[in-house]
Amino acid sequence: AQSVTQLGSHVSVSEGALVLLRCNYSSSVPPYLFWYVQYPNQGLQLLLKYTSAATLVKGINGFEAEFKKSETSFHLTKPSAHMSDAAEYFCAVSANSGYALNFGKGTSLLVTP
Amino acid sequence: DAGVTQSPTHLIKTRGQQVTLRCSPISGHKSVSWYQQVLGQGPQFIFQYYEKEERGRGNFPDRFSARQFPNYSSELNVNALLLGDSALYLCASSLELAPYNEQFFGPGTRLTVL
């Protein structure tokens, strides 16, 4: 079964600091991986996705992620955090069954002034 | 263009009751999926429909059912509600049925079971 594990349920960074949110995947075949963001009382918005075209994927709002097969990782980074980045972030993998998404438990990002 | 819409926004039910949640996908999208998000957790897959046929089902009891209509809108039904069914129910649509397709999420329906 394809699944993802997000390390750290809460991450706190200072405004302007590097953001690093960790995601490891478990898949027997090359996976399709996604990062979504959820702001309070809203649905999920896609930040970026990996579809094997390139290992370094650039997304919206200055986020990017690097697919590392040797480490089975797909960590999300942003060079400089903004207050508006405070939200819940979910890593997900496309499952075999109907291509639905298997989500991690999420990481809550707090940005302090 | 309008995004995925869901109704109602909030719903309060009592144990044992039945509930119907509705979803309208983005125009042109043929696939609709339903997810349950319990507070503090990631969304859990419930159903996926494509061209009005069920294409995937998550690990949920038979009290959960869904259908997709000819206009690609969808309904999720939950019977015999339990307290544990309290959650945010998310609907997502995608253009086609493919593992690399982006799924666009609606704002969700917040269900509270008392």
Side-chain angles (χ1 to χ4, degrees), chain B:
Chain B
D1 287 341
V4 177
T5 58
Q6 293 185 243
S7 62
T9 305
H10 295 87
L11 205 52
I12 299 176
K13 293 286 188 178
T14 57
R15 283 177 296 176
Q17 285 189 311
Q18 174 265 341
V19 67
T20 298
L21 311 181
R22 296 175 176 82
C23 171
S24 292
I26 292 172
S27 178
H29 284 197
K30 300 177 182 178
S31 178
V32 169
S33 299
W34 288 95
Y35 295 83
Q36 180 196 66
Q37 186 178 20
V38 174
L39 195 63
Q41 298 291 321
Q44 295 291 314
F45 169 65
I46 310 175
F47 285 110
Q48 184 171 56
Y49 278 78
Y50 178 72
E51 291 282 15
K52 302 179 289 295
E53 292 188 1
E54 182 182 308
R55 292 303 190 97
R57 183 183 184 117
N59 188 24
F60 280 81
D62 291 343
R63 298 185 296 107
F64 289 77
S65 63
R67 55 180 175 170
Q68 187 178 31
F69 298 99
N71 66 353
Y72 301 111
S73 67
S74 178
E75 286 183 351
L76 175 70
N77 294 285
V78 187
N79 294 323
L81 285 167
L82 304 174
L83 294 179
D85 294 332
S86 295
L88 180 67
Y89 288 84
L90 295 164
C91 174
S93 74
S94 60
L95 194 60
E96 295 288 344
L97 194 66
Y100 45 80
N101 272 173
E102 176 182 356
Q103 295 194 26
F104 294 82
F105 284 81
T109 294
R110 174 74 63 186
L111 172 64
T112 301
V113 182
L114 302 176

Side-chain angles (χ1 to χ4, degrees), chain A residues 30-33 49-55 57 67, chain B residues 100:
Chain A
Y32 294 98
L33 294 161
K49 65 178 179 181
Y50 170 74
T51 59
S52 76
T55 56
V57 182
F67 175 76
Chain B
Y100 45 80

